[in-house]
Amino acid sequence: MDYREDQTIVDFRNEVQTFISDNLPDDWGSKPQGEGYDADVMQVTRAFQTEMAKRRWLTMAWPEEHGGLDAPHSQQMIMSEEMAYHRAPGAGGNMGVQWVGPSLMLYGTDEQKAEHLAGIADAETWWCTLYSEPGSGSDLASLQTRAVKDGDDYVINGQKIWTSGAHVSDWGWLAARTDPDAPKHKGITMFMMRMDTPGVTVRPLINMADGHGFNEVFFEDVRIPQTNVVGEVNRGWYHLAVALDFERSGIGAFAGGRRTVEEITEFAQDNGHLLEERPNARYELAERHIEVEIGTMMAYRIAYMQEHGVVANHEASMSKLFGSELGQRIAKTGMELLGLRGNVWSDGPYAALQGRLSRSYVSSVSGTIAAGTSEIQRNIIATRGLGLPRG
């Protein structure tokens, strides 16, 4: 495996860096952005993604026939790496790009594709994924939100939770149970629904960092036309997690981590007394730098495997596990270095790094839960990677 970048990749990386510089406010990467859904942040995000869409960068991994560039995994990874390092609002958090579009390409009707794919590719519509429920998170197949056929409609009743961006989304990508008597991995169907449909209530969930990214969503006799069913009825579980063969290296965690470690190091150098008071911080910072390099190599390897037709299964779990836990270690190292200044959140005379580390410290707690818990990742690594028996 050769990690050296040819001139094409070097030129593309420079092009992405220039694009980010030209299309984001000068102070964007240095200021805390909360959960990214504040009105002013969303305005910048939508404008930025619209410019990405003009270059087909928002959907660069999509096939050309559906508005993408059919880009190779290495190019996709470079895009993700630069976006994460510069804290740019790229395609990573766009559920329409990540989940809805790929599923529609495989399972949607021609009418559904014509109605929705262009809007996603052009950054005109924003989607959320209505998956998790209060009693169905890691064990998502146990979901209980019901969809009952009634004439030409389905009537939805139930609740979803931890729905990112539901309060700013135009459409929702809903998993609901259509056959309560079927085994739990069967009897689930996928639906598209407008978030302003009567009977839908969205309530905010404020996290420990005082950010509003998550929501709980309630459905009370919500009617969805049967034309909004995607794929086969009762086969939704097998459609739910589809993402085609897109780049899944996890590079974003390591590129973002690199930026934060560099900032902590620079702050420590500018405030030498901090290292005098906490001499062990030098060793911790060195470890964090090394871990970022290790994680980056793990991510590069996954992209290399995918580009050569090898499915990265347990390797992707390794990257996710290492990246989410590294994020917690980076935040902890920074907070211990800052001491009492780490308790100052606001951007004032006593706030260090504009309070970003303080927010990162509390928000990183969920990193080992979201997108697959560390326990699940370790199970995948053990069974699929090491061949260990279950139970």
Side-chain angles (χ1 to χ4, degrees):
M1 184 166 49
D2 190 348
Y3 287 123
R4 290 175 297 182
E5 297 179 353
D6 60 27
Q7 193 58 44
T8 300
I9 291 296
V10 171
D11 291 343
F12 179 68
R13 187 185 291 277
N14 292 335
E15 184 182 0
V16 174
Q17 292 173 352
T18 300
F19 175 85
I20 293 172
S21 177
D22 290 344
N23 289 279
L24 286 178
D26 292 339
D27 61 350
W28 177 268
S30 62
K31 295 177 64 176
Q33 303 300 333
E35 293 299 312
Y37 295 107
D38 295 340
D40 55 341
V41 175
M42 280 300 298
Q43 184 177 5
V44 174
T45 296
R46 286 183 179 270
F48 185 81
Q49 293 196 356
T50 297
E51 291 302 315
M52 288 183 66
K54 292 178 181 178
R55 296 173 177 240
R56 291 299 154 202
W57 282 1
L58 189 64
T59 52
M60 67 182 309
W62 287 18
E64 292 183 17
E65 64 184 292
H66 294 306
L69 295 176
D70 204 13
H73 293 92
S74 57
Q75 191 175 19
Q76 297 170 41
M77 186 187 66
I78 295 303
M79 167 74 79
S80 300
E81 185 175 21
E82 291 299 327
M83 290 291 170
Y85 181 84
H86 293 92
R87 303 185 176 121
N94 190 316
M95 301 298 180
V97 173
Q98 298 295 313
W99 304 110
V100 180
S103 294
L104 284 176
M105 291 176 210
L106 288 180
Y107 305 115
T109 64
D110 291 340
E111 292 77 11
Q112 289 171 339
K113 294 175 186 177
E115 180 180 1
H116 294 288
L117 288 181
I120 296 172
D122 293 337
E124 293 176 353
T125 54
W126 195 272
W127 289 72
C128 62
T129 50
L130 299 159
Y131 289 169
S132 296
E133 298 180 4
S136 302
S138 297
D139 184 18
L140 184 58
S142 65
L143 65 86
Q144 295 300 313
T145 294
R146 287 293 314 277
V148 178
K149 187 78 162 57
D150 183 24
D152 293 333
D153 297 334
Y154 279 86
V155 179
I156 313 297
N157 283 280
Q159 177 188 359
K160 296 293 180 177
I161 200 168
W162 314 125
T163 305
S164 298
H167 56 302
V168 298
S169 295
D170 306 296
W171 285 82
W173 184 247
L174 170 68
R177 187 163 298 282
T178 42
D179 185 352
D181 298 322
K184 69 177 185 178
H185 286 89
K186 300 180 181 179
I188 295 173
T189 301
M190 298 303 301
F191 299 87
M192 300 178 294
M193 58 167 290
R194 288 199 58 85
M195 292 302 291
D196 58 2
T197 303
V200 176
T201 301
V202 179
R203 296 180 184 171
L205 292 172
I206 308 302
N207 65 18
M208 289 193 297
D210 197 30
H212 177 197
F214 289 134
N215 302 271
E216 52 184 349
V217 183
F218 298 88
F219 307 91
E220 185 175 355
D221 295 331
V222 177
R223 302 189 76 88
I224 300 178
Q226 64 178 358
T227 53
N228 283 16
V229 171
V230 179
E232 295 181 53
V233 173
N234 296 330
R235 294 278 297 174
W237 176 258
Y238 307 99
H239 307 335
L240 184 149
V242 169
L244 293 182
D245 191 23
F246 298 165
E247 184 269 316
R248 299 292 173 193
S249 67
I251 187 64
F254 306 115
R258 180 189 303 278
R259 173 74 177 269
T260 302
V261 172
E262 289 175 354
E263 290 174 337
I264 297 172
T265 303
E266 182 179 356
F267 187 83
Q269 291 170 338
D270 293 341
N271 297 269
H273 67 282
L274 295 176
L275 292 175
E276 294 175 3
E277 296 167 359
R278 301 168 182 81
N280 286 338
R282 295 179 183 273
Y283 301 104
E284 285 201 33
L285 281 172
E287 289 178 354
R288 299 298 88 82
H289 277 282
I290 292 170
E291 288 173 329
V292 165
E293 292 297 329
I294 292 172
T296 300
M297 295 300 101
M298 292 171 64
Y300 279 19
R301 177 178 178 237
I302 292 171
Y304 178 90
M305 292 171 62
Q306 291 180 309
E307 197 154 275
H308 288 78
V310 180
V311 176
N313 190 298
H314 67 274
E315 293 87 353
S317 288
M318 291 167 58
S319 178
K320 196 280 176 188
L321 173 67
F322 191 71
S324 57
E325 295 188 352
L326 174 58
Q328 294 176 347
R329 290 194 294 273
I330 290 173
K332 182 174 182 291
T333 294
M335 287 290 284
E336 290 178 348
L337 178 70
L338 296 180
L340 290 176
R341 293 184 68 179
N343 294 320
V344 183
W345 287 40
S346 60
D347 181 12
Y350 299 104
L353 298 172
Q354 296 184 311
R356 286 196 310 279
L357 273 178
S358 310
R359 297 178 183 276
S360 176
Y361 182 70
V362 294
S363 62
S364 65
V365 172
S366 66
T368 50
I369 300 173
T373 66
S374 289
E375 291 78 10
I376 286 180
Q377 305 306 330
R378 286 187 166 89
N379 284 342
I380 293 173
I381 295 167
T383 57
R384 301 179 187 176
L386 299 176
L388 297 178
R390 293 180 178 271

